[in-house]
Amino acid sequence: MFGSSLAIGSDILDIGSSKFDRRNDERAIGSGAMMPPSLTLGDPGQFEIPNVADPAHFCRNNFASACGNSDQGQSVKFAKGTTTLAFKFDGGIIVSVDSRSTMGAYIASGTVKKVIEINPFLLGTMAGGAADCSFWERNLGMQCRMYELRNKKRITVAAASKLLANTMSSYRGYGLSMGTMITGWDETGPQLYYVDDDGTRLHGRYFSVGSGSTYAYGVLDTYYRPDLTVEEAIDLGKRAIYHACHRDAMSGSINNLYHVTKDGWVKIHAIDVNDMHYEFLEEKQNAMSS
């Protein structure tokens, strides 16, 4: 059995910092060999590991992100829920998401920002594990900025999505949980890609990701047209998220909607879906009475 003072440092986040240099200096011994630093449970900036004989085996069997009933015997079930969607039309791209974060029946937060603003012309969405999506899309933002500095031009949406897909492919099988959309405007016009945790990368006109995506797809399949006006497109993105939140208990709270044009993205609104419910209910009642 391992002792009670085990932790794994977040070295990858410290590389290049003075903290990393000091830690390396502390590891050096007379012959120049390296020795592990002292590990302290609960030390800030470090990850604790289970106090069991085989931590990796324990994590695989109790904390895996699984689909269907394959996590039935786990101590913690990663039952996630969200609704995100994006679609291209003649006036640009609409990105519409909810803001609820859940773990099974527990609502952890109602104000999660599920649209990652990678740069002024590029957006990413979050579905799956919040930490995985947030970290790797911020990492993508860094890679995109490095590309701009090296090549003196803005990265294309296709290239940005490929960078993320390559990263996901290199971590395939490590338990990441991500279903993202990378969208924006480049010299080829509006572009939209879907990228997930096994490295799948798809190009399309519209996508919806998350537990409420089937309901959102129902609305999109019925009312989507490439020649929508900007007002119609905004209303479609708003209604699709509302109906998904109304039917899917794991989605809800605030609808955040963005419009991407050749001049960059603009946040259109952040509306409580409860307010949308009464707005659409009144609209339905008026339509039935007329």
Side-chain angles (χ1 to χ4, degrees), residues 1 10 42 103 165 177 211:
M1 297 290 286
S10 53
M103 179 68 80
S177 176
S211 59

Side-chain angles (χ1 to χ4, degrees), residues 100-136:
R100 178 171 291 180
S101 174
T102 59
M103 179 68 80
Y106 174 69
I107 299 175
S109 173
T111 56
V112 175
K113 189 174 182 180
K114 297 185 183 179
V115 176
I116 306 293
E117 298 157 357
I118 298 170
N119 67 36
F121 293 86
L122 202 58
L123 295 174
T125 63
M126 291 171 47
D132 294 342
C133 294
S134 180
F135 178 85
W136 289 113

Side-chain angles (χ1 to χ4, degrees), residues 8-24:
I8 297 176
S10 53
D11 290 2
I12 192 172
L13 303 179
D14 299 328
I15 291 174
S17 68
S18 57
K19 178 181 177 182
F20 183 78
D21 294 336
R22 285 197 305 271
R23 183 180 298 148
N24 280 344

Side-chain angles (χ1 to χ4, degrees), residues 84-89 91-99 112-126 183-184 230 233-238 241 254-261 264-271:
T84 62
L85 65 89
F87 60 86
K88 295 194 298 182
F89 70 109
I93 308 160
I94 293 293
V95 180
S96 189
V97 301
D98 74 320
S99 68
V112 175
K113 189 174 182 180
K114 297 185 183 179
V115 176
I116 306 293
E117 298 157 357
I118 298 170
N119 67 36
F121 293 86
L122 202 58
L123 295 174
T125 63
M126 291 171 47
T183 187
V230 173
I234 290 172
D235 186 65
L236 176 58
K238 178 179 170 183
I241 289 294
I254 306 296
N255 169 222
N256 293 306
L257 190 142
Y258 289 72
H259 181 208
V260 185
T261 67
W265 55 261
V266 177
K267 186 171 183 179
I268 301 299
H269 68 230
I271 303 176

Side-chain angles (χ1 to χ4, degrees), residues 166-177:
N166 289 344
T167 302
M168 292 301 98
S169 293
S170 66
Y171 282 90
R172 184 183 297 166
Y174 279 69
L176 294 181
S177 176

Side-chain angles (χ1 to χ4, degrees), residues 207-248:
F207 293 109
S208 183
V209 188
S211 59
S213 61
T214 51
Y215 307 109
Y217 268 129
V219 177
L220 290 174
D221 288 340
T222 304
Y223 297 106
Y224 172 78
R225 303 189 325 270
D227 61 347
L228 291 167
T229 65
V230 173
E231 291 74 19
E232 289 174 333
I234 290 172
D235 186 65
L236 176 58
K238 178 179 170 183
R239 286 176 185 272
I241 289 294
Y242 161 71
H243 285 290
C245 293
H246 185 63
R247 293 294 180 184
D248 176 35

